[in-house]
Amino acid sequence: DDGGRGEDVTKSTVFADFVPPANGHSGYLVLDRESYRCSDTMMARVVDNDLREESMLLVQAETTSGDIESFALGANTGQPGVFTGTLAIVSGTPTPGSGSLEVVHGDIVIVYYQDELGGTGEPILVSASATVDCYPPAISDVRVSQLTGTQARIEFITDEPAQVIVHYGLSCQSLSN
């Protein structure tokens, strides 16, 4: 009823991955994205109330092309049992133990840790995964579908979801967006 400004509303899907499931003592691990580029930084977050007294949690990251790296997640100040950390992702030949995750296009990255007191009291492996996309989107069929004195509608096709910026102006030397 306030005009729909949008700044005060957040879809629950934006933060749903950070809400731990209500299943006893199981830990919960999420990555900050579903897909990473070949030169990127991956952020992992673990929520595990059984580890409230710990200051660090060691997790593993593996790729389908053969790299495996351990990296530390630090305890979040003021949030007992919550740990976050990052790992560099680079394009290249897998070199286990190098300190960065070497990836190739199409890799699947799996991050995991052993939860010693899973939901049933038995140890379980808690994991999250993401894909690696090394190629930028390809754009095709660019066209102006509507043109007026004050507006233009630009349409195109991309081979994958993409965020696009259209630069415009009266000449190529003076474009804005």
Side-chain angles (χ1 to χ4, degrees):
D1 292 337
D2 67 356
R5 297 178 326 128
E7 294 89 1
D8 304 322
V9 177
T10 301
K11 277 181 91 173
S12 60
T13 56
V14 171
F15 60 83
D17 286 343
F18 294 99
V19 178
N23 61 352
H25 296 279
S26 286
Y28 192 69
L29 187 150
V30 294
L31 302 175
D32 63 328
R33 290 190 234 145
E34 295 177 2
S35 181
Y36 293 95
R37 298 179 305 250
C38 279
S39 177
D40 219 334
T41 301
M42 175 177 59
M43 197 267 306
R45 176 183 172 104
V46 168
V47 178
D48 189 331
N49 285 325
D50 295 326
L51 302 173
R52 295 173 68 84
E53 303 301 320
E54 302 297 324
S55 61
M56 182 188 72
L57 175 65
L58 199 60
V59 299
Q60 303 290 319
E62 290 188 29
T63 66
T64 50
S65 63
D67 198 9
I68 182 167
E69 301 293 333
S70 296
F71 67 108
L73 308 183
N76 290 14
T77 304
Q79 295 179 301
V82 179
F83 304 84
T84 54
T86 60
L87 179 64
I89 296 175
V90 297
S91 180
T93 304
T95 309
S98 67
S100 60
L101 198 61
E102 289 85 18
V103 297
V104 297
H105 179 74
D107 255 344
I108 296 175
V109 175
I110 301 168
V111 179
Y112 60 90
Y113 81 102
Q114 183 79 23
D115 183 348
E116 296 301 328
L117 295 172
T120 64
E122 297 294 318
I124 61 169
L125 198 63
V126 178
S127 66
S129 63
T131 58
V132 176
D133 183 357
C134 297
Y135 305 131
I139 189 169
S140 62
D141 198 22
V142 179
R143 64 195 176 284
V144 178
S145 63
Q146 294 176 353
L147 184 61
T148 69
T150 59
Q151 295 181 348
R153 182 178 179 147
I154 311 297
E155 295 179 345
F156 50 86
I157 297 171
T158 59
D159 66 341
E160 63 184 83
Q163 192 172 38
V164 178
I165 297 173
V166 176
H167 296 273
Y168 59 92
L170 297 177
S171 71
C172 290
Q173 289 72 34
S174 93
L175 298 177
S176 61
N177 55 357

